[in-house]
């Protein structure tokens, strides 16, 4: 015979029904929920007011790319094309030439931001620390073609955020 | 033979080797790789890089594999800890002075030092002193130098000593101060010298025009054939995004071994010249206008339809492909135009009926080395066909007797047994006198006056010595004002001495042109023509109704071109370039592709046909020549012009050749009418085309035009 039909079990079921009936009148579950609210009311807040407030970033954050210069203003990039070779998304296109001073220079350095997966391999591969991924992650495109970061654009970003990039590089240097 | 084969053991596997072979040659037949820098199978053994040290059982020291002959029962260990320790130690020494500039070095990615350093180099250098720095040298516009990178393997030095014979490079100083130098400041000028770019295992000697323009790993390698001489060297073109970036040799022992001439290596620069014709153009009221391909073709077809067959002519460069020649002759046959030719610089046509079906060298290029005697007549052979020149040098070094009969004295880097300079015909007559042959009756008076000199006797002795000799007629003989006299006399000499008579023809496909009937007096496969058409001279010296120039530039390719007369014909030019001379003469210009932008077939001077495919994107709106001809053919409403590819054309050619009865026309120069040849002893009868001027692509190859060779000829060149 099924046990649920024993006398004890029938008693338990009746008691549970009575308890629930009383809890309904006392708004028990409401108070239970409000206690969570009350507890969190006194906790410190984790919400930030973006864009006025921002979360902290790692010095290794991989955002928008930049091309760097040496302190004397000379471009670092020597068009060795190692970043182009290592790029898993084939986002980088480089053309090289002999510069006026006889050195090797990139005549074209394009990164397609639609292709880029921000893996940072280009930065790893660069023998002269020319291409870097900066902390900048807030950017947008309005017209077709703006997704191509040309050499001039990349150098401009590098010039603008030179201090930040130098600081980040210095912070990371001891782990390399 | 069995005595020559011995058993040796390499890394525990027993293999067979030839007696006297070096260890490295034996191990190269197995899977055991021995690292090396200075060893090269085409060069002598120097054993100065010490990278190939291997362990040999019962030897107290590691031995250099490139300089140790194998012996019976030798046990060699290429990968034992002892051998690897020796190789690693050598590598460490080599890297002491080698700069760490791989990212900017053009050799990066294909560098032997880089590859071997990955296997045998240490991660960190233990060397803390100053690195050596060597000043770079300017050795001409073709080869760049970064001498700090040099590891002193001396491959380039040995190449100069052994392959070219022009000892341009050598080593100076010793030890730490040792460097590769030209002794005095000079450029390296030999026509094969740029092969040191491929030989250099590091980035010390590199390709100057290619400098910093691409990386080895990103280019696509295409097989192709050299388009500037009758040798047809095998090449690889390295192409990046549809643009040829450089040309390197493709090994073919039967033709070019591992070498190519500078001309074949650097001519690709001409493809990207500023002079390229970018779209079809038409001259209206003496002004050039761009028009669409469609309109241009309609225009050409209308002109061709309205033309008088007897007064129109087709002229094609001997560098055109077999397919282009075929379509041109098909077009001319359908239009009943007999005036077709490709012998653009030939002057004397009196004996053209006696020409062979295809002018060939008379032997395989590789067999030149086995010849007993070679006499080169009227040829700057080194400049005309550098690879044949190299083969002749190899033959000379192996003991072949070489004779040269030429107007002027050229520099050859090997022993020439007899050199007859001055009037070629006079010398041939003298030689014929010595040999006891009878001069042609028209010349007997003159022949009697010529006193045989010692040189004539020496030359006769060469030809009379044992073994079959070869007479090679070069460009100067073929383009001579009395070429028929030279041919007659040479044929007589060849007959008397039992030698073979061969030709080094102009352009890369003169043989193909002959076979396709791109001649006024012969048809397809040498069939004789009922009506003999005009030859080049007759076409270009007079005014015609219509002249179709297929990559033949008036003035440069056609020295006899009369701008006053022929220039006033209706000239349709199919050309890759829009030079001033085309603009002066042409009425319609259609852009066709250079050798890189078209597919096709070349037949070289040993009757070897070699096909190649398109390797580069077309420049501007240019189209392959065969496509243009095919379109014109279909638009003229001709049947059987619906080819879809150049292979389709080739299939039709080979089918037709199979169906043709083998008409084997032997050259027959014995019965010639030489009555017109009165002034043949005048000196200035040769027409010399400078080495880097022979075709339109070369004339636009900027780096080649900067070489001392080009500048020298420019000084002599008069327009």
């Amino acid at each position: 015979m099924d046990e649920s039909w024993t006398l004890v079990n029938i008693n338990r079921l009746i008691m549970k029904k009575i308890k629930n009936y009383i809890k309904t009148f006392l708004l028990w579950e409401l108070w239970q929920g409000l206690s969570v609210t009350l507890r969190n009311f006194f906790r410190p807040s984790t919400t930030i007011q973006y864009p006025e407030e921002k979360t902290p970033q790692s010095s290794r954050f991989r955002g928008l790319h930049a091309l760097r210069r040496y302190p004397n203003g000379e471009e670092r990039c020597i068009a060795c094309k190692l970043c182009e070779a290592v790029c898993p998304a084939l986002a980088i296109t480089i053309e090289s030439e002999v510069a006026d001073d006889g050195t090797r220079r990139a005549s074209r350095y394009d990164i397609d931001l639609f292709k880029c997966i921000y893996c940072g391999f280009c930065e790893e591969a660069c023998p002269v620390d020319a291409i870097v991924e900066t902390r900048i992650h807030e950017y947008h495109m309005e017209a077709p073609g703006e997704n191509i970061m040309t050499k001039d654009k990349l150098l401009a970003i590098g010039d603008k955020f030179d201090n930040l990039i130098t600081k980040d590089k210095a912070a990371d240097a001891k782990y390399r | 033979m069995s005595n020559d084969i011995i058993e040796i053991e390499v890394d525990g596997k027993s293999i067979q080797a030839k007696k006297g072979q070096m260890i490295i040659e034996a191990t190269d037949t197995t899977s055991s790789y021995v690292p090396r820098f200075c060893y090269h199978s085409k060069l002598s053994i120097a054993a100065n890089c010490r990278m190939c040290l291997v362990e040999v059982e019962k030897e107290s020291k590691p031995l250099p594999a490139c300089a140790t002959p194998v012996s019976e029962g030798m046990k060699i260990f290429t990968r034992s800890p002892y051998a690897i320790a020796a190789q690693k130690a050598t590598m460490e020494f080599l890297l002491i002075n080698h700069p760490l500039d791989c990212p900017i070095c053009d050799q990066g990615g294909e560098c032997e030092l880089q590859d071997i350093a990955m296997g045998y180099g240490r991660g960190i250098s233990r060397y803390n002193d100053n690195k050596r720095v060597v000043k770079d040298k300017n050795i001409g516009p073709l080869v760049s130098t970064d001498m700090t990178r040099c590891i002193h393997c001396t491959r380039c030095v040995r190449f100069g000593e052994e392959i070219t014979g022009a000892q341009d490079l050598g080593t100076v100083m010793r030890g730490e101060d040792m460097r590769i130098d030209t002794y005095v400041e000079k450029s390296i000028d030999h026509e094969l010298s740029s092969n040191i770019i491929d030989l250099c295992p590091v980035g010390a000697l590199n390709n100057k025009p290619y400098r910093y323009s691409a990386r080895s790993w990103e280019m696509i390698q295409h097989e192709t054939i050299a388009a500037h001489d009758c040798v047809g060297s095998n090449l690889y073109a390295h192409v990046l995004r549809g643009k040829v970036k450089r040309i390197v040799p493709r090994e073919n022992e039967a033709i070019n071994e591992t070498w190519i001439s500078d001309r074949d290596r650097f001519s690709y620069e001409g493809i990207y010249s500023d002079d390229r014709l970018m779209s079809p153009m038409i001259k209206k009221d003496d002004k050039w206008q761009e028009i669409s391909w469609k309109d241009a073709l309609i225009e050409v077809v209308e002109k061709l339809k309205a033309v008088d067959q007897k007064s129109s002519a087709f002229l094609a460069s001997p560098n055109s492909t077999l397919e282009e020649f075929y379509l041109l002759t098909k077009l001319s046959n359908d239009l009943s135009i007999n005036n077709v030719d490709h012998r653009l610089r030939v002057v004397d046509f009196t004996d053209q009926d006696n020409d062979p079906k295809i002018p060939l060298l008379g032997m395989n290029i590789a067999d030149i080395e086995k010849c007993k005697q070679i006499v080169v007549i009227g040829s700057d052979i080194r400049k005309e066909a550098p690879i044949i020149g190299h083969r002749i040098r190899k033959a000379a070094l192996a003991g072949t007797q070489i004779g040269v009969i030429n107007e002027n004295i050229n520099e050859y880097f090997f022993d020439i047994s007899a050199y007859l300079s001055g009037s070629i015909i006079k010398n041939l007559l003298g030689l014929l006198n010595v040999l006891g042959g009878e001069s042609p009756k028209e010349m007997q008076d003159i022949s009697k006056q010529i006193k045989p000199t010692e040189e004539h006797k020496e030359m006769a002795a060469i030809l009379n010595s044992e073994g079959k000799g070869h007479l090679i007629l070069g460009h100067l003989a073929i383009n001579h004002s009395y070429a028929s006299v030279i041919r007659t006399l040479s044929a007589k000499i060849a007959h008397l001495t039992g030698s073979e008579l061969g030709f080094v023809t102009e352009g890369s496909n003169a043989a193909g042109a002959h076979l396709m009937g791109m001649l006024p007096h012969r048809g397809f496969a040498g069939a004789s023509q009922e009506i003999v058409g005009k030859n080049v001279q007759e076409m270009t010296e007079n005014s015609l109704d219509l002249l179709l120039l297929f990559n033949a530039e008036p003035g440069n390719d056609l020295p006899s071109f009369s701008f006053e007369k022929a220039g006033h014909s209706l000239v349709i030019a199919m050309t890759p370039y829009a030079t001033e001379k085309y603009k002066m003469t042409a009425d319609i210009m259609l852009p066709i592709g250079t050798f890189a932008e078209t597919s096709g077939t070349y037949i070289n001077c040993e009757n070897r046909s070699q096909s190649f495919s398109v390797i580069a994107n077309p420049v501007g709106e240019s189209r392959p020549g065969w496509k243009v001809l095919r379109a014109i053919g279909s638009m003229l409403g001709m049947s059987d012009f619906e080819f879809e590819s150049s292979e389709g054309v080739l299939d039709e050619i080979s089918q037709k050749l199979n169906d043709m009865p083998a008409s084997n026309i032997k050259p027959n120069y014995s019965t010639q009418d030489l009555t017109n040849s009165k002034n043949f002893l005048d000196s200035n009868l040769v027409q010399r085309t400078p080495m880097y001027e022979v075709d339109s692509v070369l004339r636009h190859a900027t780096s080649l035009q900067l070489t001392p060779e080009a500048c020298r000829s420019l000084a002599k060149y008069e327009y």
Side-chain angles (χ1 to χ4, degrees), chain B residues 381-641:
Chain B
I381 193 75
R382 272 180 54 206
K383 307 280 162 71
E384 288 170 11
I387 295 294
I388 294 181
H390 164 61
R391 292 278 191 178
I392 292 178
R393 177 169 189 274
K394 265 177 106 178
L397 295 183
T400 305
Q401 291 179 296
I402 311 286
V404 178
I405 303 174
N406 206 352
E407 295 268 315
N408 53 342
I409 296 177
N410 297 103
E411 194 179 12
Y412 290 96
F413 298 106
F414 51 86
D415 284 339
I416 289 171
S417 314
Y419 203 129
L420 301 178
S421 60
S423 165
I424 298 173
I425 294 174
K426 207 168 170 179
N427 281 322
L428 286 174
L429 281 172
L431 184 58
L432 200 61
N433 281 349
V434 178
L435 287 166
E438 199 178 325
S439 313
K441 58 180 185 299
E442 299 89 346
M443 296 183 173
Q444 274 171 358
D445 301 343
I446 302 154
S447 176
K448 274 174 202 154
Q449 291 165 19
I450 296 168
K451 290 211 173 71
T453 59
E454 279 305 306
E455 280 89 30
H456 288 132
K457 281 172 193 160
E458 277 171 35
M459 189 72 83
I462 292 175
L463 283 166
N464 276 331
S465 55
E466 207 178 318
K468 195 172 181 183
H470 263 90
L471 302 179
I472 298 175
L473 293 183
H475 297 186
L476 301 180
I478 294 170
N479 297 342
H480 195 273
S481 303
Y482 293 101
S484 58
V485 180
I486 295 181
R487 278 190 284 259
T488 312
L489 296 174
S490 305
K492 271 187 191 295
I493 292 166
H495 182 71
L496 277 173
T497 58
S499 315
E500 183 103 17
L501 186 63
F503 300 90
V504 171
T505 45
E506 281 212 301
S508 53
N509 202 15
H514 274 80
L515 193 64
M516 292 300 105
M518 195 69 204
L519 292 163
H521 61 290
R522 297 239 175 100
F524 187 82
S528 55
Q529 214 70 317
E530 277 173 31
I531 309 159
V532 175
K534 293 189 171 90
N535 58 42
V536 180
Q537 294 291 317
E538 290 159 353
M539 290 183 213
T540 53
E541 278 170 357
N542 303 308
S543 182
L544 295 162
D545 270 7
L546 179 136
L547 185 61
L548 190 143
L549 299 176
F550 193 86
N551 198 4
E553 189 177 347
N556 290 338
D557 290 323
L558 293 163
S560 58
F561 193 88
S562 145
F563 286 88
E564 287 79 36
K565 286 181 180 164
H568 288 292
S569 324
L570 175 72
V571 177
I572 299 170
M574 298 188 191
T575 163
Y577 300 97
T579 59
E580 277 309 309
K581 281 174 183 136
Y582 276 122
K583 284 182 181 169
M584 266 161 69
T585 49
D587 296 279
I588 301 173
M589 290 195 286
L590 303 178
I592 57 167
T594 57
F595 67 95
E597 301 144 72
T598 182
S599 54
T601 306
Y602 287 146
I603 298 180
N604 76 354
C605 61
E606 47 175 16
N607 208 7
R608 182 194 296 267
S609 87
Q610 302 184 104
S611 292
F612 55 93
S613 50
V614 177
I615 54 172
N617 291 350
V619 175
E621 279 185 48
S622 65
R623 295 285 173 271
W626 70 267
K627 273 192 185 172
V628 178
L629 295 170
R630 178 216 171 275
I632 292 172
S634 326
M635 285 170 81
L636 278 167
M638 287 163 182
S639 56
D640 302 335
F641 253 97

Side-chain angles (χ1 to χ4, degrees), chain A residues 78 80-81 84 95-96 104, chain B residues 103 106 212 215 218 241:
Chain A
I78 48 169
C80 70
K81 307 200 188 187
E84 190 187 37
E95 275 168 19
S96 51
R104 187 188 182 103
Chain B
D106 274 330
Y212 296 162
R215 302 295 274 180
E218 57 182 351
R241 295 179 203 122

Side-chain angles (χ1 to χ4, degrees), chain B residues 30 32 89 107 167 203 225 229 325 377 408 480 550 594 669 709:
Chain B
T30 69
S32 303
Q107 195 85 357
Q167 300 184 6
I225 304 295
D229 54 37
F325 284 132
I377 301 167
N408 53 342
H480 195 273
F550 193 86
T594 57
Y669 295 119
E709 172 68 37

Side-chain angles (χ1 to χ4, degrees), chain B residues 201-481:
Chain B
V202 294
L205 300 170
N206 237 317
N207 194 323
K208 210 174 212 175
Y210 163 78
R211 193 169 172 83
Y212 296 162
S213 66
R215 302 295 274 180
S216 59
W217 59 77
E218 57 182 351
M219 294 182 286
I220 301 168
Q221 180 165 284
H222 292 284
E223 293 180 1
T224 187
I225 304 295
H228 308 290
D229 54 37
C230 60
V231 175
S233 298
N234 288 201
L235 311 173
Y236 280 125
H238 289 172
V239 178
L240 175 64
R241 295 179 203 122
K243 248 183 126 173
V244 180
K245 288 287 174 184
R246 63 172 174 185
I247 302 264
V248 295
R250 174 155 55 101
E251 198 170 336
N252 188 340
E253 280 303 310
I255 301 175
N256 55 320
E257 302 171 74
T258 55
W259 320 119
I260 55 170
S261 60
D262 294 4
R263 193 161 66 172
D264 295 337
R265 187 185 297 267
F266 296 106
S267 65
Y268 74 90
E269 279 193 293
I271 304 169
Y272 304 107
S273 155
D274 293 339
D275 274 351
R276 278 301 292 264
L277 177 59
M278 302 305 268
S279 69
M281 291 181 105
I282 190 162
K283 198 192 255 172
K284 279 199 176 136
D285 308 326
D286 269 354
K287 276 195 184 129
W288 283 101
Q289 289 176 1
E290 287 189 10
I291 50 167
S292 69
W293 262 109
K294 200 180 161 194
D295 295 342
L297 287 176
I298 290 172
E299 196 83 23
V300 170
V301 166
E302 273 173 18
K303 298 270 153 64
L304 283 173
K305 267 182 188 163
V307 94
D308 171 22
Q309 288 93 341
K310 278 185 189 144
S311 183
S312 33
F314 289 4
L315 281 175
S317 148
N319 287 341
S320 315
T321 64
L322 193 70
E323 289 81 352
E324 286 163 350
F325 284 132
Y326 178 70
L327 292 178
L328 272 169
T329 48
K330 197 167 172 167
L331 210 59
S332 68
N333 284 344
D334 284 358
L335 291 166
S336 326
I337 295 172
N338 286 320
N339 312 322
V340 293
D341 214 338
H342 77 278
R343 303 165 294 176
L344 305 183
R345 296 195 179 94
V346 177
V347 183
D348 185 2
F349 298 94
T350 47
D351 61 340
Q352 62 181 9
D353 291 326
N354 303 332
D355 278 337
K357 180 166 120 187
I358 310 170
L360 295 174
L361 193 59
M363 60 184 145
N364 288 338
I365 292 169
D367 292 340
I368 295 175
E369 291 168 34
K370 295 176 200 151
C371 277
K372 294 286 176 213
Q373 312 104 29
I374 300 171
V375 175
V376 180
I377 301 167
S379 173
D380 295 344
I381 193 75
R382 272 180 54 206
K383 307 280 162 71
E384 288 170 11
I387 295 294
I388 294 181
H390 164 61
R391 292 278 191 178
I392 292 178
R393 177 169 189 274
K394 265 177 106 178
L397 295 183
T400 305
Q401 291 179 296
I402 311 286
V404 178
I405 303 174
N406 206 352
E407 295 268 315
N408 53 342
I409 296 177
N410 297 103
E411 194 179 12
Y412 290 96
F413 298 106
F414 51 86
D415 284 339
I416 289 171
S417 314
Y419 203 129
L420 301 178
S421 60
S423 165
I424 298 173
I425 294 174
K426 207 168 170 179
N427 281 322
L428 286 174
L429 281 172
L431 184 58
L432 200 61
N433 281 349
V434 178
L435 287 166
E438 199 178 325
S439 313
K441 58 180 185 299
E442 299 89 346
M443 296 183 173
Q444 274 171 358
D445 301 343
I446 302 154
S447 176
K448 274 174 202 154
Q449 291 165 19
I450 296 168
K451 290 211 173 71
T453 59
E454 279 305 306
E455 280 89 30
H456 288 132
K457 281 172 193 160
E458 277 171 35
M459 189 72 83
I462 292 175
L463 283 166
N464 276 331
S465 55
E466 207 178 318
K468 195 172 181 183
H470 263 90
L471 302 179
I472 298 175
L473 293 183
H475 297 186
L476 301 180
I478 294 170
N479 297 342
H480 195 273
S481 303

Side-chain angles (χ1 to χ4, degrees), chain B residues 168-224:
Chain B
D168 287 321
L169 293 168
T171 52
V172 291
M173 314 297 272
R174 303 198 327 176
E176 172 81 1
D177 301 319
M178 179 174 168
R179 57 175 203 269
I180 303 291
D181 209 331
T182 48
Y183 306 124
V184 290
E185 191 79 18
K186 74 188 266 288
S187 61
I188 47 168
D189 302 345
H190 194 273
E191 65 280 354
L192 290 173
S193 56
S194 294
N195 284 300
I196 56 175
I197 296 166
D198 302 322
L199 283 175
C200 186
V202 294
L205 300 170
N206 237 317
N207 194 323
K208 210 174 212 175
Y210 163 78
R211 193 169 172 83
Y212 296 162
S213 66
R215 302 295 274 180
S216 59
W217 59 77
E218 57 182 351
M219 294 182 286
I220 301 168
Q221 180 165 284
H222 292 284
E223 293 180 1
T224 187

Side-chain angles (χ1 to χ4, degrees), chain B residues 7-109:
Chain B
E7 286 273 325
I8 60 165
E9 200 176 276
V10 178
D11 292 338
K13 279 180 222 151
S14 80
I15 60 159
Q16 291 187 324
K18 276 187 214 133
K19 222 174 203 174
Q21 219 176 10
M22 297 300 159
I23 292 176
I24 206 163
E25 289 169 321
T27 55
D28 275 356
T29 61
T30 69
S31 57
S32 303
Y33 176 76
V34 179
R36 81 286 305 263
F37 295 115
C38 70
Y39 172 78
H40 191 278
S41 55
K42 294 275 172 201
L43 301 174
S44 66
I45 290 156
N48 55 5
C49 75
R50 313 310 281 184
M51 193 61 217
C52 61
L53 293 174
V54 291
E55 183 184 354
V56 178
E57 200 185 54
K58 291 177 193 156
E59 291 290 341
S60 57
K61 287 194 252 179
L63 297 177
C66 69
T68 311
V70 290
S71 58
E72 181 70 48
M74 197 181 229
K75 281 187 179 164
I76 299 152
F77 303 96
T78 63
R79 305 285 304 159
S80 68
Y82 187 62
I84 287 185
Q87 290 160 357
K88 281 192 166 178
T90 306
M91 193 72 219
E92 195 173 1
F93 277 119
L94 284 173
L95 289 179
I96 278 182
N97 278 319
H98 194 78
L100 271 173
D101 61 353
C102 303
I104 58 157
C105 176
D106 274 330
Q107 195 85 357

